[in-house]
Amino acid sequence: NAGVTQTPKFQVLKTGQSMTLQCAQDMNHNSMYWYRQDPGMGLRLIYYSASEGTTDKGEVPNGYNVSRLNKREFSLRLESAAPSQTSVYFCASSERGAQAFFGQGTRLTVV
Amino acid sequence: DQQVKQNSPSLSVQEGRISILNCDYTNSMFDYFLWYKKYPAEGPTFLISISSIKDKNEDGRFTVFLNKSAKHLSLHIVPSQPGDSAVYFCAASDWGSNYKLTFGKGTLLTVNP
């Protein structure tokens, strides 16, 4: 049982480059999330999707876009990467009112 | 405005003793609370949860207490083991926001042998 799978695990970008972080879950969950973790800041919600076809901004959405491609997949796109987006990104999924399951994370460095 | 607060960035305890991690929240609409554990280079993993209709939930060595009037919850680990050393995140959610999870900043627990 794979759970939540994120790709890639590591990425180095130059300022201004774009990239898409991929996330897929095999638990048939309706809700999916993207968080970023920075030292001393905990886990901050970037975007979430309560169900297929819906997305909502979280606490720190600026500089990001998301796509809920289908029930399984929720991607995060950086259109023009900035050094401030250097972080560890986590995707998660859950059913409403239940625990969320997290992926292993993507460590992104923007130089 | 931080809705979930973990005011202790770190905590150090001796093996076999009790670890108590604290969490405060400001949003009175929160009705579901969770604790997650995170090791370096791994994703957070679910530890234990509690609904607002309860004041205590226990799972083995882990117990979560909820005091709604004080908007406070705590995680007790008894007895603490060196393998418990990790960052612990408190999280909260409510039906009005489609149960999206709001996390605190985390507490680094170190259990010394």
Side-chain angles (χ1 to χ4, degrees):
Chain A
N1 189 355
V4 179
T5 303
Q6 291 182 234
T7 56
K9 287 188 170 50
F10 301 94
Q11 183 71 49
V12 179
L13 288 179
K14 293 183 179 179
T15 297
Q17 285 185 317
S18 62
M19 80 161 295
T20 300
L21 281 65
Q22 307 287 352
C23 176
Q25 52 96 3
D26 61 4
M27 295 172 283
N28 203 37
H29 288 160
N30 282 299
S31 299
M32 296 187 73
Y33 313 82
W34 277 104
Y35 289 90
R36 60 179 287 175
Q37 185 192 12
D38 302 292
M41 299 299 292
L43 290 160
R44 293 184 293 171
L45 183 63
I46 305 171
Y47 271 94
Y48 75 105
S49 171
S51 61
E52 184 179 353
T54 68
T55 60
D56 287 287
K57 295 179 179 179
E59 184 183 354
V60 288
N62 291 343
Y64 306 95
N65 285 301
V66 290
S67 295
R68 185 73 184 267
L69 304 168
N70 46 56
K71 192 170 186 179
R72 288 188 66 246
E73 298 172 289
F74 189 38
S75 62
L76 179 71
R77 182 161 178 83
L78 287 71
E79 290 291 351
S80 179
S84 61
Q85 293 177 305
T86 293
S87 188
V88 181
Y89 292 85
F90 290 101
C91 178
S93 72
S94 74
E95 275 306 312
R96 289 181 60 181
Q99 59 164 299
F101 294 82
F102 283 80
Q104 291 287 79
T106 296
R107 186 173 294 274
L108 176 67
T109 302
V110 183
V111 297
Chain B
D1 179 32
Q2 201 179 350
Q3 297 188 66
V4 178
K5 301 177 184 179
Q6 294 178 256
N7 292 320
S8 298
S10 63
L11 174 68
S12 183
V13 299
Q14 287 300 120
E15 180 178 5
R17 305 294 290 271
I18 184 172
S19 296
I20 300 176
L21 295 95
N22 294 303
C23 178
D24 297 294
Y25 62 95
T26 58
N27 186 345
S28 58
M29 299 303 293
F30 285 147
D31 58 10
Y32 187 58
F33 304 89
L34 310 90
W35 285 94
Y36 280 81
K37 178 179 179 180
K38 187 183 179 305
Y39 293 117
E42 295 184 9
T45 55
F46 170 75
L47 197 56
I48 192 169
S49 63
I50 188 166
S51 162
S52 60
I53 62 172
K54 295 185 175 181
D55 56 17
K56 177 182 174 181
N57 189 26
E58 193 170 356
D59 184 2
R61 297 186 296 114
F62 303 91
T63 303
V64 56
F65 295 93
L66 176 62
N67 182 333
K68 283 179 291 185
S69 61
K71 294 191 179 68
H72 177 83
L73 64 155
S74 60
L75 174 69
H76 293 210
I77 306 174
V78 184
S80 301
Q81 299 173 354
D84 295 329
S85 298
V87 177
Y88 289 78
F89 290 101
C90 172
S93 67
D94 68 281
W95 70 269
S97 65
N98 278 317
Y99 283 104
K100 69 180 174 74
L101 291 175
T102 301
F103 283 82
K105 292 186 177 182
T107 297
L108 173 62
L109 172 66
T110 302
V111 181
N112 301 302

Tab-separated table of all heavy atoms in Angstrom, chain B residues 66-102:
chain	number	residue	atom	x	y	z
B	66	LEU	N	-7.950	17.118	26.509
B	66	LEU	CA	-8.511	18.330	25.925
B	66	LEU	C	-9.281	19.104	26.982
B	66	LEU	O	-10.166	18.565	27.645
B	66	LEU	CB	-9.449	17.981	24.768
B	66	LEU	CG	-10.200	19.143	24.118
B	66	LEU	CD1	-9.231	20.141	23.492
B	66	LEU	CD2	-11.181	18.631	23.071
B	67	ASN	N	-8.939	20.375	27.139
B	67	ASN	CA	-9.646	21.284	28.037
B	67	ASN	C	-10.250	22.391	27.160
B	67	ASN	O	-9.573	23.352	26.809
B	67	ASN	CB	-8.687	21.869	29.070
B	67	ASN	CG	-9.378	22.782	30.070
B	67	ASN	OD1	-10.410	23.385	29.771
B	67	ASN	ND2	-8.819	22.909	31.244
B	68	LYS	N	-11.518	22.227	26.804
B	68	LYS	CA	-12.144	23.154	25.862
B	68	LYS	C	-12.305	24.546	26.439
B	68	LYS	O	-12.171	25.547	25.738
B	68	LYS	CB	-13.501	22.610	25.418
B	68	LYS	CG	-13.405	21.495	24.395
B	68	LYS	CD	-14.764	20.980	24.028
B	68	LYS	CE	-15.385	20.241	25.186
B	68	LYS	NZ	-16.673	19.605	24.886
B	69	SER	N	-12.602	24.631	27.716
B	69	SER	CA	-12.799	25.954	28.301
B	69	SER	C	-11.514	26.767	28.274
B	69	SER	O	-11.535	27.987	28.107
B	69	SER	CB	-13.320	25.837	29.730
B	69	SER	OG	-12.393	25.143	30.542
B	70	ALA	N	-10.383	26.084	28.405
B	70	ALA	CA	-9.087	26.767	28.362
B	70	ALA	C	-8.499	26.791	26.954
B	70	ALA	O	-7.439	27.385	26.748
B	70	ALA	CB	-8.107	26.092	29.312
B	71	LYS	N	-9.163	26.125	26.015
B	71	LYS	CA	-8.643	25.985	24.642
B	71	LYS	C	-7.213	25.446	24.691
B	71	LYS	O	-6.270	26.034	24.123
B	71	LYS	CB	-8.713	27.306	23.880
B	71	LYS	CG	-10.132	27.805	23.616
B	71	LYS	CD	-10.100	28.972	22.628
B	71	LYS	CE	-11.483	29.469	22.314
B	71	LYS	NZ	-12.129	30.111	23.487
B	72	HIS	N	-7.072	24.338	25.355
B	72	HIS	CA	-5.753	23.765	25.593
B	72	HIS	C	-5.814	22.252	25.453
B	72	HIS	O	-6.773	21.605	25.901
B	72	HIS	CB	-5.278	24.130	27.010
B	72	HIS	CG	-3.972	23.525	27.382
B	72	HIS	ND1	-2.766	24.089	27.025
B	72	HIS	CD2	-3.677	22.394	28.067
B	72	HIS	CE1	-1.777	23.330	27.472
B	72	HIS	NE2	-2.298	22.309	28.119
B	73	LEU	N	-4.809	21.698	24.807
B	73	LEU	CA	-4.678	20.248	24.817
B	73	LEU	C	-3.239	19.874	25.091
B	73	LEU	O	-2.312	20.687	24.905
B	73	LEU	CB	-5.173	19.603	23.523
B	73	LEU	CG	-4.506	19.870	22.194
B	73	LEU	CD1	-4.774	18.700	21.272
B	73	LEU	CD2	-5.071	21.136	21.564
B	74	SER	N	-3.068	18.657	25.594
B	74	SER	CA	-1.726	18.196	25.923
B	74	SER	C	-1.594	16.730	25.521
B	74	SER	O	-2.573	15.980	25.484
B	74	SER	CB	-1.435	18.383	27.413
B	74	SER	OG	-2.345	17.648	28.202
B	75	LEU	N	-0.378	16.367	25.231
B	75	LEU	CA	-0.023	14.985	24.902
B	75	LEU	C	0.903	14.473	25.981
B	75	LEU	O	1.940	15.095	26.242
B	75	LEU	CB	0.660	14.918	23.533
B	75	LEU	CG	1.208	13.555	23.127
B	75	LEU	CD1	0.060	12.572	22.865
B	75	LEU	CD2	2.093	13.676	21.894
B	76	HIS	N	0.529	13.363	26.618
B	76	HIS	CA	1.360	12.731	27.633
B	76	HIS	C	1.932	11.441	27.073
B	76	HIS	O	1.187	10.620	26.506
B	76	HIS	CB	0.534	12.432	28.893
B	76	HIS	CG	0.079	13.651	29.618
B	76	HIS	ND1	-0.111	13.680	30.983
B	76	HIS	CD2	-0.209	14.903	29.186
B	76	HIS	CE1	-0.506	14.885	31.343
B	76	HIS	NE2	-0.582	15.640	30.272
B	77	ILE	N	3.212	11.264	27.251
B	77	ILE	CA	3.877	10.036	26.828
B	77	ILE	C	4.490	9.405	28.075
B	77	ILE	O	5.351	10.008	28.728
B	77	ILE	CB	4.986	10.314	25.796
B	77	ILE	CG1	4.435	11.117	24.613
B	77	ILE	CG2	5.591	8.999	25.306
B	77	ILE	CD1	5.494	11.568	23.613
B	78	VAL	N	3.989	8.213	28.419
B	78	VAL	CA	4.485	7.536	29.615
B	78	VAL	C	4.632	6.032	29.358
B	78	VAL	O	3.646	5.404	28.966
B	78	VAL	CB	3.513	7.728	30.811
B	78	VAL	CG1	4.085	7.097	32.062
B	78	VAL	CG2	3.219	9.197	31.050
B	79	PRO	N	5.782	5.414	29.604
B	79	PRO	CA	7.050	6.073	29.878
B	79	PRO	C	7.709	6.531	28.574
B	79	PRO	O	7.504	5.925	27.518
B	79	PRO	CB	7.865	4.960	30.529
B	79	PRO	CG	7.358	3.702	29.868
B	79	PRO	CD	5.897	3.944	29.605
B	80	SER	N	8.490	7.559	28.638
B	80	SER	CA	9.190	8.051	27.453
B	80	SER	C	10.337	7.116	27.093
B	80	SER	O	11.006	6.558	27.978
B	80	SER	CB	9.736	9.451	27.713
B	80	SER	OG	8.680	10.337	28.043
B	81	GLN	N	10.547	6.974	25.785
B	81	GLN	CA	11.616	6.106	25.286
B	81	GLN	C	12.491	6.908	24.320
B	81	GLN	O	11.997	7.836	23.669
B	81	GLN	CB	11.009	4.901	24.561
B	81	GLN	CG	10.122	4.028	25.428
B	81	GLN	CD	9.418	2.946	24.638
B	81	GLN	OE1	9.487	2.890	23.408
B	81	GLN	NE2	8.719	2.055	25.347
B	82	PRO	N	13.753	6.537	24.171
B	82	PRO	CA	14.628	7.278	23.251
B	82	PRO	C	14.068	7.345	21.829
B	82	PRO	O	14.248	8.351	21.136
B	82	PRO	CB	15.939	6.475	23.305
B	82	PRO	CG	15.941	5.892	24.678
B	82	PRO	CD	14.507	5.552	24.971
B	83	GLY	N	13.355	6.317	21.387
B	83	GLY	CA	12.745	6.318	20.060
B	83	GLY	C	11.621	7.318	19.899
B	83	GLY	O	11.166	7.571	18.776
B	84	ASP	N	11.177	7.904	21.002
B	84	ASP	CA	10.142	8.945	20.939
B	84	ASP	C	10.732	10.294	20.544
B	84	ASP	O	9.983	11.249	20.293
B	84	ASP	CB	9.436	9.098	22.289
B	84	ASP	CG	8.655	7.859	22.700
B	84	ASP	OD1	8.165	7.141	21.807
B	84	ASP	OD2	8.553	7.607	23.913
B	85	SER	N	12.042	10.402	20.527
B	85	SER	CA	12.700	11.660	20.165
B	85	SER	C	12.330	12.037	18.738
B	85	SER	O	12.630	11.310	17.787
B	85	SER	CB	14.222	11.537	20.303
B	85	SER	OG	14.576	11.275	21.643
B	86	ALA	N	11.652	13.161	18.590
B	86	ALA	CA	11.135	13.602	17.295
B	86	ALA	C	10.517	14.982	17.485
B	86	ALA	O	10.444	15.492	18.606
B	86	ALA	CB	10.080	12.627	16.770
B	87	VAL	N	10.048	15.558	16.392
B	87	VAL	CA	9.254	16.787	16.481
B	87	VAL	C	7.778	16.390	16.535
B	87	VAL	O	7.330	15.563	15.731
B	87	VAL	CB	9.504	17.718	15.285
B	87	VAL	CG1	8.589	18.958	15.369
B	87	VAL	CG2	10.967	18.150	15.246
B	88	TYR	N	7.056	16.974	17.479
B	88	TYR	CA	5.635	16.686	17.646
B	88	TYR	C	4.826	17.920	17.249
B	88	TYR	O	5.053	19.016	17.744
B	88	TYR	CB	5.330	16.287	19.082
B	88	TYR	CG	5.871	14.922	19.419
B	88	TYR	CD1	7.218	14.742	19.689
B	88	TYR	CD2	5.033	13.809	19.426
B	88	TYR	CE1	7.731	13.488	19.951
B	88	TYR	CE2	5.532	12.545	19.701
B	88	TYR	CZ	6.884	12.392	19.963
B	88	TYR	OH	7.381	11.146	20.222
B	89	PHE	N	3.886	17.694	16.353
B	89	PHE	CA	3.018	18.776	15.889
B	89	PHE	C	1.604	18.556	16.404
B	89	PHE	O	1.051	17.451	16.313
B	89	PHE	CB	2.963	18.819	14.355
B	89	PHE	CG	4.230	19.273	13.705
B	89	PHE	CD1	5.105	18.360	13.138
B	89	PHE	CD2	4.544	20.623	13.643
B	89	PHE	CE1	6.276	18.780	12.518
B	89	PHE	CE2	5.708	21.055	13.029
B	89	PHE	CZ	6.582	20.128	12.474
B	90	CYS	N	1.026	19.613	16.894
B	90	CYS	CA	-0.377	19.651	17.245
B	90	CYS	C	-1.133	20.206	16.033
B	90	CYS	O	-0.626	21.094	15.339
B	90	CYS	CB	-0.532	20.577	18.455
B	90	CYS	SG	-2.213	20.966	18.937
B	91	ALA	N	-2.324	19.671	15.762
B	91	ALA	CA	-3.120	20.156	14.639
B	91	ALA	C	-4.592	20.194	15.044
B	91	ALA	O	-5.026	19.457	15.937
B	91	ALA	CB	-2.938	19.259	13.421
B	92	ALA	N	-5.341	21.054	14.374
B	92	ALA	CA	-6.767	21.198	14.675
B	92	ALA	C	-7.551	21.438	13.397
B	92	ALA	O	-7.002	21.938	12.409
B	92	ALA	CB	-6.984	22.357	15.649
B	93	SER	N	-8.835	21.081	13.441
B	93	SER	CA	-9.682	21.290	12.265
B	93	SER	C	-11.128	21.480	12.701
B	93	SER	O	-11.488	21.241	13.861
B	93	SER	CB	-9.571	20.106	11.302
B	93	SER	OG	-10.128	18.940	11.876
B	94	ASP	N	-11.968	21.932	11.760
B	94	ASP	CA	-13.384	22.094	12.051
B	94	ASP	C	-14.195	21.873	10.789
B	94	ASP	O	-13.713	22.043	9.674
B	94	ASP	CB	-13.658	23.481	12.634
B	94	ASP	CG	-13.451	24.580	11.611
B	94	ASP	OD1	-12.287	24.945	11.363
B	94	ASP	OD2	-14.458	25.051	11.039
B	95	TRP	N	-15.479	21.515	10.975
B	95	TRP	CA	-16.325	21.172	9.832
B	95	TRP	C	-16.541	22.381	8.934
B	95	TRP	O	-16.694	22.254	7.727
B	95	TRP	CB	-17.658	20.599	10.311
B	95	TRP	CG	-18.553	21.608	10.957
B	95	TRP	CD1	-18.613	21.927	12.276
B	95	TRP	CD2	-19.503	22.454	10.294
B	95	TRP	NE1	-19.536	22.913	12.470
B	95	TRP	CE2	-20.100	23.268	11.289
B	95	TRP	CE3	-19.897	22.608	8.965
B	95	TRP	CZ2	-21.073	24.201	10.996
B	95	TRP	CZ3	-20.877	23.548	8.667
B	95	TRP	CH2	-21.444	24.327	9.686
B	96	GLY	N	-16.515	23.569	9.506
B	96	GLY	CA	-16.781	24.769	8.719
B	96	GLY	C	-15.732	25.067	7.672
B	96	GLY	O	-16.011	25.744	6.682
B	97	SER	N	-14.548	24.547	7.874
B	97	SER	CA	-13.469	24.759	6.896
B	97	SER	C	-13.171	23.469	6.154
B	97	SER	O	-12.044	23.249	5.702
B	97	SER	CB	-12.209	25.268	7.598
B	97	SER	OG	-11.703	24.287	8.468
B	98	ASN	N	-14.173	22.607	6.046
B	98	ASN	CA	-13.977	21.313	5.380
B	98	ASN	C	-12.883	20.482	6.033
B	98	ASN	O	-12.228	19.679	5.376
B	98	ASN	CB	-13.650	21.495	3.892
B	98	ASN	CG	-14.899	21.707	3.061
B	98	ASN	OD1	-15.900	21.027	3.255
B	98	ASN	ND2	-14.836	22.655	2.150
B	99	TYR	N	-12.702	20.698	7.317
B	99	TYR	CA	-11.742	19.919	8.098
B	99	TYR	C	-10.302	20.059	7.599
B	99	TYR	O	-9.502	19.139	7.752
B	99	TYR	CB	-12.150	18.450	8.180
B	99	TYR	CG	-13.267	18.225	9.165
B	99	TYR	CD1	-14.566	18.009	8.741
B	99	TYR	CD2	-13.013	18.261	10.535
B	99	TYR	CE1	-15.595	17.837	9.653
B	99	TYR	CE2	-14.032	18.095	11.451
B	99	TYR	CZ	-15.324	17.876	10.990
B	99	TYR	OH	-16.334	17.707	11.888
B	100	LYS	N	-9.962	21.193	7.027
B	100	LYS	CA	-8.549	21.394	6.693
B	100	LYS	C	-7.766	21.519	7.991
B	100	LYS	O	-8.226	22.099	8.954
B	100	LYS	CB	-8.354	22.594	5.786
B	100	LYS	CG	-8.605	23.950	6.411
B	100	LYS	CD	-8.353	25.023	5.361
B	100	LYS	CE	-8.729	26.399	5.875
B	100	LYS	NZ	-7.773	26.931	6.850
B	101	LEU	N	-6.573	20.960	7.987
B	101	LEU	CA	-5.769	20.905	9.201
B	101	LEU	C	-4.898	22.140	9.353
B	101	LEU	O	-4.192	22.531	8.427
B	101	LEU	CB	-4.874	19.665	9.183
B	101	LEU	CG	-5.568	18.311	9.303
B	101	LEU	CD1	-4.563	17.188	9.151
B	101	LEU	CD2	-6.284	18.206	10.631
B	102	THR	N	-4.939	22.736	10.531
B	102	THR	CA	-4.063	23.848	10.887
B	102	THR	C	-3.082	23.347	11.932
B	102	THR	O	-3.488	22.801	12.957
B	102	THR	CB	-4.873	25.022	11.445
B	102	THR	OG1	-5.818	25.451	10.461
B	102	THR	CG2	-3.958	26.183	11.801
